[in-house]
Amino acid sequence: MAKVYQDLRSFLTTLEENGQLVRIKDEVDPEPDIAAAGRAAANLENGPAVLFENIKGYPYSVVTNVHGSWANHALMLGMPKTASTKEQFHEINRRWDKYPVKPEILSREQAPCKENTIDNPDEINLFDILPLYRINEQDGGFFLSKASIITADPTEPENFDKLNVGTYRIQVKGRNRVGIQALAFHDIAVQLEAAERKNEKVPICITVGNSPLVTYMASTPVMYTQNEYEFVGALQDGVPTRIVKSDLFDNLYVPAGSEVVLEGYIEPRVREVEGPFGEFPGSYSGSRRQCVITITHITHRTNPIFENLYLGIPWTEIDFLIALNTSVPLYQQIKRDLPEVQAVNAMYTHGIGCIISTKVRFGGFGKEVAFRLLSTPHGGSYSKIIIIVDEFVDPFNLPQVMWALTTRVRPDKDVVVIPNCPGMPLDPSSYPAGIHSKLIIDATTPKDPEPNPREAELLEPPAGYEKYEALIRKLMAEM
Amino acid sequence: MKCPRCDSNKIEVIATSPVGNVWEVYECMDCFYSWRSTETPNIHEKFKLTKEQIDNLPVIPPVPPLDK
Ligand SMILES: [Zn+2]
């Protein structure tokens, strides 16, 4: 049974035991030090989480880059930190099929997130609890970039399947006020619209500092009627995640081990300037008028840890966080119709670039696989550059993909551009925003009836190489 | 004090450092830009806002009509 985490703290302990967490004990300024460390950690090979213990003017600590490397990502899954990206991809797919796993509901007394309560709305001050800081220079304020946010469907508040746990960027606008980005195509916007039609407030819980798989599922695009907590149990290999009822709202449940839980309301029919904010494509998204939340109640653990992420020019922590949780749903959807597909790498800029490895059933099949990707809900608008490789090429290994491109692609027949297709507005090359051309590159070996006049013989690895791979790994680990 | 983004003078102190007296955080009540007293904001021209621009920013998500 893989190691399972019910809170952030136990995961940080594991990261430290594996040499994947460093502590900065000296006093630092909130700006620009915390953001600079997040950028720096992401620049390193297998960058660690960075814990700041002493931030000027604040009582508590901050941790950044928790998900920001393949080693940390493997440890999140309870795998050895050396597990390859492809191994992690297949392990997530195996566990995915265990959905749904009902969460375990703890009593208030059992839940660590209820250790401290601030229930007088006049005493709410986010700056007392969270060491807030600016992430990128031109950001419009201090942001929560990694919160897991819980809302219910106003028309069916009792329906647990429609309880939504999602990640949305939050701009702090006062001691008890924050702004939220609720994009029209995300689940929370469906709930907001139903409430705003009746001019009703939307109850909301913003949770900060969660077990790593709660954060992971909060940023995974699953269906509206699929409960994210039941996926966390699946990805914990069948071990239920622990939740507890919110203090203010009977139908909202929060992770029992959260460091901080902010409870309050989205104000209906109100929009105020939000942004700009440095986003995952490596450029700023501009100012917009967006929703506002009033916080009226806080619970938190003693000595809470503020978990937040840096994002900017790829790769940063967010690219690791949304790498496989974008790839897995696409793989599941394509594989259902085309079982020859071996793996999907949709890790590049949230699936704008996508590499698929497949067996080729008949001539032209590579393009059929690309068409199937381009007819999935995510791939249809996000995926712009699609590369199809043979089943013996690891799509997560870019040197191998480059080998396929250099030895399998004849540009006159294997490269196709389809103009004027649905696009992704945050892609700064999309013009007009939301329209782009699709580029398909078929880097598979030709198969009958497509002619293959220069059939090549692939090299076989020398006998016994697997044994030596295991032995060399073991010797390295002992050094 | 003026807002470094929109030049408004409607500035409020939204926080003082919980430990020591080492910084304050200010916010513009017209454009909601906020900054810490220990920062020196340097807003790029393309991110500055006029009153007219604020009024015409896109609204996300759109506000639906009220049910009758
Ligand atoms: Zn202003």
Side-chain angles (χ1 to χ4, degrees):
Chain A
M1 176 60 67
K3 195 160 182 183
V4 166
Y5 308 98
Q6 295 290 357
D7 60 9
L8 173 68
R9 295 175 184 206
S10 54
F11 183 52
L12 297 183
T13 302
T14 294
L15 290 178
E16 192 161 29
E17 286 166 359
N18 283 274
Q20 286 297 132
L21 179 142
V22 297
R23 290 170 188 271
I24 296 187
K25 295 173 186 288
D26 292 341
E27 185 183 80
V28 300
D29 286 315
E31 294 83 22
D33 296 44
I34 302 174
R39 173 74 264 177
N43 292 349
L44 303 175
E45 186 78 11
N46 272 328
V50 182
L51 181 68
F52 286 96
E53 295 186 352
N54 190 353
I55 300 149
K56 188 174 185 172
Y58 286 122
Y60 302 127
S61 56
V62 171
V63 67
T64 191
N65 208 51
V66 168
H67 288 78
S69 62
W70 286 115
N72 293 16
H73 197 278
L75 292 167
M76 166 183 80
L77 296 166
M79 298 174 77
K81 72 172 184 180
T82 52
S84 72
T85 309
K86 191 179 172 187
E87 285 165 348
Q88 296 184 49
F89 171 81
H90 284 298
E91 180 63 11
I92 293 168
N93 274 293
R94 184 185 70 76
R95 297 183 196 176
W96 196 263
D97 295 336
K98 297 195 174 185
Y99 169 85
V101 175
K102 293 279 172 214
E104 180 184 351
I105 300 177
L106 301 192
S107 69
R108 195 179 192 284
E109 293 67 37
Q110 293 171 309
C113 70
K114 308 282 191 183
E115 282 173 359
N116 303 275
T117 305
I118 304 163
D119 56 3
N120 178 353
D122 295 334
E123 289 172 15
I124 301 291
N125 186 346
L126 300 177
F127 291 84
D128 285 344
I129 310 298
L130 298 169
L132 301 162
Y133 64 95
R134 191 181 309 276
I135 296 177
N136 276 295
E137 190 202 39
Q138 297 294 316
D139 288 353
F142 307 153
F143 276 79
L144 311 184
S145 54
K146 207 184 180 184
S148 296
I149 292 155
I150 297 103
T151 49
D153 188 318
T155 58
E156 276 181 86
E158 310 279 344
N159 187 339
F160 190 69
D161 291 339
K162 292 189 175 177
L163 187 80
N164 183 54
V165 186
T167 300
Y168 308 94
R169 75 191 206 196
I170 301 274
Q171 180 178 352
V172 174
K173 294 183 154 180
R175 58 175 186 81
N176 67 342
R177 291 173 71 251
V178 299
I180 184 169
Q181 174 162 277
L183 291 171
F185 49 80
H186 287 151
D187 289 350
I188 195 171
V190 175
Q191 302 173 341
L192 178 70
E193 175 171 347
E196 288 196 315
R197 283 182 176 278
K198 296 180 165 39
N199 201 24
E200 287 172 359
K201 296 178 174 203
V202 180
I204 190 166
C205 292
I206 301 169
T207 69
V208 179
N210 287 305
S211 72
L213 281 170
V214 167
T215 305
Y216 189 79
M217 281 313 307
S219 55
T220 301
V222 291
M223 307 293 285
Y224 184 60
T225 54
Q226 291 179 319
N227 181 284
E228 285 83 0
Y229 291 132
E230 296 177 357
F231 266 109
V232 175
L235 294 192
Q236 291 182 162
D237 218 1
V239 178
T241 191
R242 293 179 189 150
I243 60 174
V244 63
K245 198 165 73 63
S246 119
D247 283 358
L248 297 186
F249 313 114
D250 285 346
N251 303 309
L252 297 188
Y253 289 85
V254 299
S258 286
E259 294 291 328
V260 177
V261 179
L262 312 175
E263 302 192 23
Y265 304 88
I266 306 179
E267 302 294 349
R269 313 185 72 80
V270 175
R271 302 290 187 273
E272 279 179 359
V273 182
E274 192 269 5
F277 186 59
E279 276 283 5
F280 69 90
S283 39
Y284 285 99
S285 70
S287 298
R288 307 277 187 268
R289 285 197 291 154
Q290 306 210 38
C291 297
V292 180
I293 297 168
T294 304
I295 307 294
T296 59
H297 185 95
I298 298 180
T299 66
H300 67 90
R301 297 181 69 148
T302 300
N303 291 322
I305 304 167
F306 178 29
E307 182 192 19
N308 213 32
L309 63 70
Y310 177 81
L311 68 172
I313 292 189
W315 274 45
T316 66
E317 178 177 2
I318 197 169
D319 297 288
F320 290 96
L321 182 62
I322 63 177
L324 293 186
N325 69 12
T326 307
S327 304
V328 167
L330 286 174
Y331 172 70
Q332 296 268 342
Q333 289 159 16
I334 300 170
K335 178 106 181 157
R336 193 182 54 212
D337 300 332
L338 302 173
E340 289 81 4
V341 169
Q342 303 295 301
V344 172
N345 174 355
M347 307 197 303
Y348 296 102
T349 326
H350 209 184
I352 294 177
C354 193
I355 304 158
I356 304 178
S357 82
T358 183
K359 290 179 185 159
V360 176
R361 202 191 308 168
F362 40 70
F365 192 73
K367 293 201 181 76
E368 179 162 334
V369 170
F371 296 151
R372 186 67 195 90
L373 169 75
L374 292 175
S375 60
T376 60
H378 185 89
S381 54
Y382 275 74
S383 297
K384 176 176 68 178
I385 297 176
I386 302 100
I387 301 172
I388 312 295
V389 295
D390 285 307
E391 80 274 18
F392 50 80
V393 174
D394 176 357
F396 297 101
N397 182 328
L398 291 191
Q400 284 196 10
V401 174
M402 285 305 294
W403 165 57
L405 290 176
T406 51
T407 57
R408 298 287 181 281
V409 174
R410 243 181 64 194
D412 57 308
K413 69 172 180 63
D414 292 326
V415 177
V416 184
V417 174
I418 306 169
N420 211 44
C421 295
M424 169 26 173
L426 274 183
D427 167 5
S429 78
S430 133
Y431 188 82
I435 293 287
H436 63 203
S437 303
K438 307 291 189 186
L439 170 64
I440 299 173
I441 303 177
D442 184 353
T444 60
T445 308
K447 183 125 180 197
D448 186 71
E450 185 184 351
N452 187 9
R454 293 198 51 197
E455 216 169 312
E457 186 72 19
L458 278 183
L459 300 167
E460 292 289 338
Y465 83 96
E466 289 129 317
K467 194 179 72 189
Y468 271 93
E469 212 171 280
L471 176 64
I472 294 167
R473 255 185 221 280
K474 181 165 163 287
L475 291 171
M476 296 277 293
E478 287 166 4
M479 269 159 64
Chain B
M1 194 185 307
K2 276 205 314 189
C3 171
R5 178 161 75 177
C6 76
D7 283 344
S8 163
N9 51 18
K10 281 201 274 174
I11 307 297
E12 289 185 8
V13 176
I14 61 165
T16 53
S17 60
V19 176
N21 187 19
V22 290
W23 46 253
E24 293 179 312
V25 177
Y26 312 119
E27 183 167 62
C28 170
M29 292 298 125
D30 279 330
C31 80
F32 302 98
Y33 182 78
S34 63
W35 72 102
R36 200 184 311 270
S37 57
T38 46
E39 295 183 284
T40 312
N42 172 27
I43 312 271
H44 292 177
E45 280 307 315
K46 71 186 318 179
F47 294 131
K48 292 206 168 160
L49 289 174
T50 61
K51 170 96 179 63
E52 193 187 0
Q53 284 173 316
I54 292 170
D55 292 342
N56 291 309
L57 287 174
V59 172
I60 294 180
V63 180
L66 280 169
D67 280 354
K68 296 227 172 68

